[in-house]
């Protein structure tokens, strides 16, 4: 307190000495040897700059001394007085997007891109992982394909591939380097056994009708085009001729983020801890009570801190990926009676998937596609130095623990390598050089995305549950969600089949080509 009083006296004493940014007139008295032998006065015009600089230096030094004294008094605390955390989110926002992965940033970009009026819509993106070291986006295999069985997924892939091919027309930023997505359009090659060949033919017809460029290969044609493949057991193959391959996931995420922030989107690293909402009770014709909720604010807890910031908002977008189901429970979704509307939870949970990097100097060359064997094992080329990434989804009964992202290397030895070497004999001799694990936002209902507003929360929109293909569909899904919010309906693609309605009516949209 003594230090503060001294500082206050200094300010009060100097308050009249200068006015910020103004001129001051200083009277200087000196004796002149004139004939009258008297005193004369010379007036000197000054900006007061030197005096102000000295004062500010003294003020800064006293503030530093006070901080040090406070810190010495609280040796176990990193708290400092007179500091405002610059990382706190704003107190108000029009739209809060929970999840700063590629899906969240795509939605943020399209919201600003489609903004029609004052260009002052405040969009806040909240991300819990500032390093992105555990983000599903950057831990994926980075593939994009049109070979789905559902029209919605095929159209999402076509639109997203078109966006990626012309990405600098959308996401370039003035005075920044152009986006190099490293889009390698080597195609996907699906292999089918005799038992499922008829399904591949059906999917092929659907894909061609939707505008996808794919081709069917017989066993002999596969061997002629890719002689390094062991075609034993292969009855039919489907090959993507364009708009399929792989790209760098981090580059796509960062391009969306960079562009969105240049358009005014606000980024905050924190974790959503709670929602404040109001409730309106309604009754159905059957006499069932329904609680309609409206979110009023989002509580953002700062990372590694006791600080938090309530953010008042008009609506919330749940793009929290694998953890979007848990986020929904904070508003009571799924916590009601099981036989009621409020009892339907968001069926999304984390599922861990391993990705292994192997080195094989004699492996497939530049013509190697993203190969999906009918056993479920996949691989693709990684660069030009004989490196490949590979993996397989485990059986339902063998799903690994999701409490961490540790890699099970025995899983490669038992489940991946034998099938991989059987399909590509060159892989009998390889070396695992690295590996990682990431989370799918796995939709346990039908392994497809959930897009749209929740029926009981009239200002919470969802973009989640894509079960492994969210990254490749993020450009098109982001635009679709922005259309729902700003236009009130889908404009470019009709994705109404991916809404919550199918969950409430228990009508799954099952995709036959899940990898």
């Amino acid at each position: 307190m003594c230090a503060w009083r001294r500082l206050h006296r200094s300010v009060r004493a100097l308050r009249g000495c200068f006015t910020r940014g103004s001129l001051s007139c200083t009277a200087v008295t000196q004796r002149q040897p004139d004939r009258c032998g008297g005193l004369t006065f010379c007036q000197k015009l000054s900006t007061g700059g030197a005096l102000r600089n000295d004062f500010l230096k003294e003020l800064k030094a006293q503030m530093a001394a006070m901080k040090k004294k406070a810190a010495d008094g609280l040796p176990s605390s990193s708290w400092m007085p007179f500091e405002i955390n610059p990382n706190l989110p704003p107190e108000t926002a029009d739209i809060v997007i929970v999840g700063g992965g590629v899906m969240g940033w795509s939605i943020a970009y399209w919201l600003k891109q489609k903004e029609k009026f004052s260009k002052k819509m405040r969009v806040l993106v909240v991300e819990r992982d500032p390093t992105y070291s555990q983000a599903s986006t950057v831990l994926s295999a980075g593939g994009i394909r049109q070979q789905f069985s559902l029209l919605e997924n095929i159209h999402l892939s076509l639109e997203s591939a078109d966006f990626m091919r012309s990405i600098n027309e959308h996401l370039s930023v003035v005075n920044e380097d152009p986006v190099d997505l490293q889009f390698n359009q080597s195609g996907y090659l699906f292999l089918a056994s005799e038992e499922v060949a008829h399904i591949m033919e059906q999917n092929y017809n659907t894909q061609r009708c939707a505008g996808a460029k794919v081709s069917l290969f017989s066993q002999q044609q596969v061997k002629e085009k890719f002689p390094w493949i062991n075609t034993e057991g292969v009855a039919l193959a489907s090959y993507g001729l364009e708009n399929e391959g792989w790209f760098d996931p981090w580059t796509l995420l960062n391009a969306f983020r960079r562009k969105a922030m240049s358009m005014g989107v606000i980024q905050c690293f924190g974790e959503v801890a709670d929602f404040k909402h109001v409730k309106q009770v309604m009754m159905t014709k059957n006499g069932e009570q329904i609680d309609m909720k409206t979110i009023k604010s989002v509580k953002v807890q700062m990372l590694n801190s006791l600080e938090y910031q309530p953010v008042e908002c008009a609506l919330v977008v749940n793009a929290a990926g694998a953890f979007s189901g848990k986020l929904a429970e904070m508003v009571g979704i799924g916590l009601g009676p099981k036989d009621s509307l409020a009892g339907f939870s968001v069926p999304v949970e984390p599922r861990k998937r391993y990705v292994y990097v192997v080195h094989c100097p004699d492996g497939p060359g530049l013509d190697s596609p993203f190969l999906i064997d009918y056993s479920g094992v996949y691989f693709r080329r990684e660069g030009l130095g004989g490196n490949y990434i590979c993996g397989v989804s485990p059986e339902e009964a063998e799903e690994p623990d999701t409490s961490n992202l540790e890699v099970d290397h025995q899983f490669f030895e038992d489940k991946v390598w034998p099938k991989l070497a059987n399909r590509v004999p060159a892989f009998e001799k390889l070396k695992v050089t690295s590996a990682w694990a990431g989370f799918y936002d796995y939709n346990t209902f039908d392994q497809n995305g959930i897009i749209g507003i929740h029926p009981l929360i009239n200002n919470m929109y969802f973009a989640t549950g894509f079960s492994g293909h969210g990254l490749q569909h993020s450009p098109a899904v982001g635009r679709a969600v922005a259309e729902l919010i700003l236009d009130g309906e889908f404009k470019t693609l009709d994705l109404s089949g991916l809404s919550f309605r199918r969950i409430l009516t228990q009508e799954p949209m099952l995709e036959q080509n899940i990898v």
Side-chain angles (χ1 to χ4, degrees):
M1 287 301 296
C2 292
W4 175 252
R5 292 193 185 98
R6 286 197 301 272
L7 179 62
H8 184 66
R9 285 198 297 269
S10 298
V11 174
R12 187 171 53 188
L14 289 170
R15 183 176 295 167
C17 293
F18 66 85
T19 303
R20 184 180 300 274
S22 63
L23 299 178
S24 62
C25 185
T26 305
V28 180
T29 305
Q30 67 180 78
R31 183 177 296 278
Q32 299 289 343
D34 62 355
R35 62 182 179 178
C36 298
L39 298 177
T40 60
F41 291 86
C42 298
Q43 289 186 331
K44 179 181 177 182
L45 198 62
S46 169
T47 62
L51 180 60
R52 180 164 59 254
N53 290 339
D54 291 343
F55 168 72
L56 293 177
K57 288 180 181 179
E58 181 183 354
L59 180 63
K60 185 177 180 180
Q62 291 194 35
M63 290 287 285
M66 292 173 64
K67 287 183 180 181
K68 184 178 184 305
K69 187 172 182 180
D72 291 342
L74 298 169
S76 63
S77 173
S78 61
W79 175 80
M80 283 291 182
F82 315 114
E83 268 188 21
I84 298 176
N85 188 340
N87 300 317
L88 284 175
E91 295 182 358
T92 61
D94 296 298
I95 301 173
V96 175
I97 300 173
V98 185
V102 68
M103 192 65 72
W105 281 110
S106 174
I107 295 168
Y109 160 73
W110 282 110
L111 284 170
K112 298 299 288 186
Q113 181 67 22
K114 288 178 59 60
E115 192 174 7
K116 298 176 181 177
F117 304 110
S118 65
K119 299 290 183 181
K120 292 184 179 180
M121 178 173 61
R122 178 176 281 188
V123 179
L124 171 67
V125 176
V126 181
E127 168 57 35
R128 61 188 289 186
D129 181 8
T131 66
Y132 283 91
S133 61
Q134 297 187 3
S136 297
T137 298
V138 298
L139 296 175
S140 72
I144 180 170
R145 58 188 169 97
Q146 308 153 83
Q147 297 184 63
F148 289 93
S149 63
L150 292 178
L151 282 172
E152 287 84 353
N153 287 332
I154 299 169
H155 287 305
L156 284 170
S157 291
L158 289 170
E159 291 292 329
S160 294
D162 182 65
F163 180 94
M164 291 181 193
R165 287 199 313 270
S166 57
I167 192 168
N168 281 292
E169 297 178 13
H170 303 280
L171 302 185
S172 63
V173 177
V174 177
N175 297 327
E176 296 284 352
D177 294 334
V179 180
D180 180 10
L181 201 56
Q182 302 175 45
F183 192 0
N184 189 319
Q185 299 187 55
S186 294
Y188 266 67
L189 179 66
F190 279 84
L191 304 180
S193 64
E194 190 69 42
E195 290 77 11
V196 295
H198 67 286
I199 298 178
M200 178 171 282
E201 288 190 56
Q202 294 172 5
N203 293 343
Y204 165 79
N205 292 328
T206 302
Q207 294 153 12
R208 294 288 294 183
C209 290
K213 301 296 190 295
V214 293
S215 180
L216 287 181
F217 288 176
S218 65
Q219 183 188 60
Q220 183 179 350
Q221 289 172 319
V222 172
K223 193 65 177 179
E224 290 174 355
K225 186 168 181 61
F226 306 108
W228 41 267
I229 294 179
N230 171 22
T231 58
E232 181 182 356
V234 176
L236 195 64
S238 178
Y239 180 55
L241 302 176
E242 64 178 43
N243 295 328
E244 289 193 342
W246 56 91
F247 57 92
D248 181 22
W250 169 248
T251 300
L252 181 61
L253 185 156
N254 201 46
F256 270 124
R257 182 173 66 164
R258 185 183 71 172
K259 181 64 175 181
M261 292 179 68
S262 75
M263 300 168 79
V265 176
I266 304 168
Q267 174 181 248
C268 172
F269 292 117
E271 187 165 3
V272 172
D274 198 6
F275 295 99
K276 183 179 179 181
H277 61 271
V278 295
K279 183 171 63 174
Q280 181 180 5
V281 179
M282 303 179 68
M283 302 295 292
T284 66
K285 293 180 179 179
N286 300 327
E288 179 184 356
Q289 177 178 311
I290 297 178
D291 295 336
M292 296 293 296
K293 297 177 181 178
T294 303
I295 296 173
K296 292 297 185 180
S297 67
V298 180
K299 179 182 178 181
V300 180
Q301 183 75 47
M302 304 310 294
L303 302 175
N304 303 315
S305 172
L306 296 178
E307 288 182 287
Y308 66 88
Q309 175 68 63
V311 181
E312 295 183 4
C313 58
L315 61 88
V316 174
V317 178
N318 186 340
F323 304 98
S324 54
K326 290 293 184 183
L327 187 76
E329 289 180 359
M330 295 182 186
V331 207
I333 296 175
L335 301 182
K338 293 301 180 183
D339 57 345
S340 69
L341 191 60
F344 283 92
S345 63
V346 177
V348 178
E349 64 184 32
R351 292 285 179 94
K352 187 159 67 173
R353 297 292 180 263
Y354 305 121
V355 179
Y356 302 93
V357 182
V358 300
H359 180 67
C360 179
D362 300 324
L366 294 177
D367 67 336
S368 173
F370 200 131
L371 187 145
I372 313 292
D373 187 48
Y374 57 76
S375 66
V377 168
Y378 70 86
F379 85 90
R380 71 163 174 84
R381 182 169 48 82
E382 176 73 356
L384 303 176
N387 295 316
Y388 307 85
I389 68 172
C390 57
V392 67
S393 293
E395 297 293 334
E396 185 76 22
E398 299 176 340
E399 285 289 348
D401 176 27
T402 58
S403 63
N404 58 64
L405 285 176
E406 295 178 0
V407 176
D408 182 357
H409 290 276
Q410 192 61 42
F411 184 80
F412 175 82
E413 300 283 343
D414 298 338
K415 303 295 183 179
V416 181
W417 195 5
K419 297 174 182 176
L420 190 63
N422 175 66
R423 187 57 60 204
V424 182
F427 285 145
E428 291 179 359
K429 296 179 180 180
L430 56 75
K431 180 181 180 181
V432 179
T433 57
S434 65
W436 68 82
F439 290 131
Y440 273 11
D441 55 337
Y442 192 83
N443 180 352
T444 59
F445 181 67
D446 60 10
Q447 294 82 60
N448 269 302
I450 302 171
I451 302 173
I453 196 167
H454 192 276
L456 294 182
I457 314 294
N458 59 24
N459 63 342
M460 176 177 271
Y461 289 78
F462 284 77
T464 185
F466 296 94
S467 306
H469 49 269
L471 169 66
Q472 60 184 290
H473 288 166
S474 59
V477 171
R479 179 170 57 184
V481 174
E483 289 172 352
L484 270 183
I485 292 173
L486 300 180
D487 301 321
E489 61 180 347
F490 294 117
K491 293 286 189 178
T492 308
L493 296 175
D494 182 8
L495 302 179
S496 55
L498 297 176
S499 71
F500 266 97
R501 179 181 176 84
R502 74 183 197 275
I503 299 173
L504 301 180
T505 59
Q506 293 294 286
E507 298 174 348
M509 294 182 63
L510 296 172
E511 173 61 57
Q512 296 173 345
N513 275 353
I514 289 293
V515 179

